[in-house]
Amino acid sequence: MEQQKKAFHNPRFNGSDYVPERDNGRLQSQLEQIFELMKDGNWRSLEAISLWTGAPAASVSAQLRHLRKERFGGHTVEKRYEGQGLHIYRVLVNHA
């Protein structure tokens, strides 16, 4: 988990609309909150994660994609279709 703390301590976010001074603190906080919730391996919808963290569902989706990247821990993020347009997600923590 020491590696995980390091990955979240100085995250490297990017994107065409990303402004580090404006966005870094918010994105880092979202990532940490989502990881803390999801590291238990339970399945949750974007809406459930959003309600728990206060982050918009689109941001939750983006942060789950970040968790797959090596620079954010290289975790496994699984997605399962539940029907009627609903997907649920779980994170399997990379302990390496």
Side-chain angles (χ1 to χ4, degrees), residues 50-68:
S50 177
L51 287 171
W52 191 86
T53 62
S59 295
V60 170
S61 180
Q63 297 296 7
L64 289 173
R65 287 192 302 275
H66 280 133
L67 289 173
R68 291 183 172 114

Side-chain angles (χ1 to χ4, degrees), residues 72-87:
F72 295 107
H75 306 290
T76 300
V77 178
E78 296 182 337
K79 178 179 175 180
R80 184 171 77 195
Y81 184 68
E82 290 292 291
Q84 297 187 359
L86 176 66
H87 289 86

